[in-house]
Amino acid sequence: MSTKTIVITGGTTGIGFSCAEYLLGLNYQVIITGKTKDNLDSAVSKLGNNSVGILSDTSSLNDIDNLVSQVKSRFGKIDGLFINAGIFKASNFEQTSEELFDQTMNINFKGAFFTIQKFIPILKNPSSVVLNTSIVVFKAFADTSVYTASKAALESLSKVLNIELADKGIRVNIVSPGVTESPIQKKSGMSDDAIDNLLKHFSSTSPIGRIIQPTDIAPIVEFLLSDKSQVLRNEKIIVDGGTTL
Ligand SMILES: NC(=O)c1ccc[n+]([C@@H]2O[C@H](COP(=O)([O-])OP(=O)(O)OC[C@H]3O[C@@H](n4cnc5c(N)ncnc54)[C@H](OP(=O)(O)O)[C@@H]3O)[C@@H](O)[C@H]2O)c1
């Protein structure tokens, strides 16, 4: 059982929520963030008394500063950070607007970049940062250009941080999920039929014969946050049931 304190960005639904639930079950202290108050309140009430929710838009540097200062005043230093907040909106390359480009990059990459930077003073030595990227970084999917670029940028950051932050005892590793059933699909702008087809396709073509669930990701993230992975650096664990083999 652990007494580690972990911050999960975007812990209100889907993968982040499942990780929070899993970590709480192992006695971690968990702080989740989200941008939508209703989702945050509902997540905290489901997670129970040991969870803490802090409203924070990861694309706002001001919000990140407030998040760090609230975490610092309540918990002091933390043991780990799961950089999970993210969005995906399906969009053909030729139709991708500047607005969607900025929104995606600001949440998935800029937010991640500055969240890690601003948490450095309160990350313990040693501590673990886990980045949630995606199989899109190495397997091309149509209508994902800016999303793919945001996740590739995030992966590229991991190498540099492992060098620059080594003397602070901070390690960075990556979880790379395949298509995972979560609220992200409904928010993507895809029709219900398109979502249904996507999930069916990935279930039927996967060696495990089903779609990945957020609960499949949680133990992997826990491993990367825990001392069990203390010598790993820039390791990427692909959690896709073998669909990209
Ligand atoms: N599902 C997949 O197939 C899949 C595959 C590979 C990687 N991923 C990655 O996994 C991560 C989690 O996605 P998910 O599938 O679990 O989807 P999800 O259920 O939609 O979760 C997204 C989380 O990010 C939060 N978020 C979004 N914008 C935010 C912002 N501006 N500031 C703070 N929090 C924000 C959401 O909070 P609100 O409730 O406030 O919106 C929510 O908690 C994402 O980074 C996604 O790219 C997902």
Side-chain angles (χ1 to χ4, degrees):
M1 295 296 257
S2 177
T3 52
K4 288 184 187 297
T5 302
I6 305 293
V7 172
I8 300 177
T9 66
T12 60
T13 57
I15 296 169
F17 178 82
S18 212
C19 290
E21 206 168 32
Y22 187 84
L23 293 174
L24 284 162
L26 294 176
N27 222 28
Y28 284 77
Q29 172 66 61
V30 179
I31 300 120
I32 60 167
T33 75
K35 193 184 74 170
T36 314
K37 189 173 180 331
D38 286 354
N39 290 351
L40 188 72
D41 292 345
S42 148
V44 170
S45 81
K46 281 186 217 150
L47 290 171
N49 288 341
N50 287 335
S51 67
V52 171
I54 299 177
L55 204 61
S56 178
D57 177 351
T58 200
S59 65
S60 152
L61 267 62
N62 235 352
D63 277 21
I64 301 173
D65 282 331
N66 287 335
L67 169 67
V68 174
S69 92
Q70 284 190 61
V71 172
K72 185 182 176 186
S73 70
R74 289 178 73 171
F75 301 99
K77 292 201 165 195
I78 65 166
D79 301 273
L81 186 54
F82 181 34
I83 298 290
N84 169 76
I87 59 159
F88 165 65
K89 310 275 181 207
S91 176
N92 176 281
F93 175 68
E94 290 180 89
Q95 274 141 22
T96 298
S97 64
E98 183 182 10
E99 189 190 2
L100 178 59
F101 181 99
D102 287 344
Q103 188 193 22
T104 305
M105 292 305 278
N106 286 345
I107 294 172
N108 294 6
F109 181 58
K110 182 181 154 198
F113 186 104
F114 286 103
T115 301
I116 301 167
Q117 185 194 73
K118 288 171 182 295
F119 265 103
I120 289 171
I122 65 161
L123 279 166
K124 284 183 194 164
N125 183 351
S127 58
S128 168
V129 175
V130 180
L131 310 178
N132 191 347
T133 65
S134 169
I135 57 167
V136 297
V137 173
F138 60 91
K139 164 108 180 89
F141 293 90
D143 300 336
T144 71
S145 55
V146 67
Y147 177 75
T148 295
S150 73
K151 294 296 189 180
L154 192 52
E155 283 199 5
S156 70
L157 185 63
S158 169
K159 286 190 208 163
V160 180
L161 297 189
N162 274 305
I163 303 301
E164 281 198 28
L165 305 181
D167 62 352
K168 296 185 180 350
I170 299 170
R171 69 185 194 279
V172 184
N173 291 291
I174 296 165
V175 65
S176 174
V179 174
T180 304
E181 190 169 10
S182 84
I184 206 169
Q185 282 97 27
K186 273 232 178 257
K187 299 176 195 168
S188 71
M190 293 164 75
S191 67
D192 287 351
D193 277 354
I195 295 171
D196 215 39
N197 288 338
L198 176 88
L199 298 180
K200 276 194 187 127
H201 170 77
F202 277 94
S203 301
S204 61
T205 57
S206 166
I208 61 168
R210 65 170 177 82
I211 201 82
I212 297 288
Q213 296 296 326
T215 47
D216 296 315
I217 316 282
I220 311 300
V221 172
E222 193 271 331
F223 166 70
L224 291 174
L225 289 168
S226 76
D227 295 340
K228 289 170 275 190
S229 62
Q230 61 185 311
V231 298
L232 299 188
R233 298 290 183 282
N234 195 45
E235 194 56 70
K236 174 159 79 175
I237 304 187
I238 298 163
V239 190
D240 72 345
T243 50
T244 53
L245 292 175

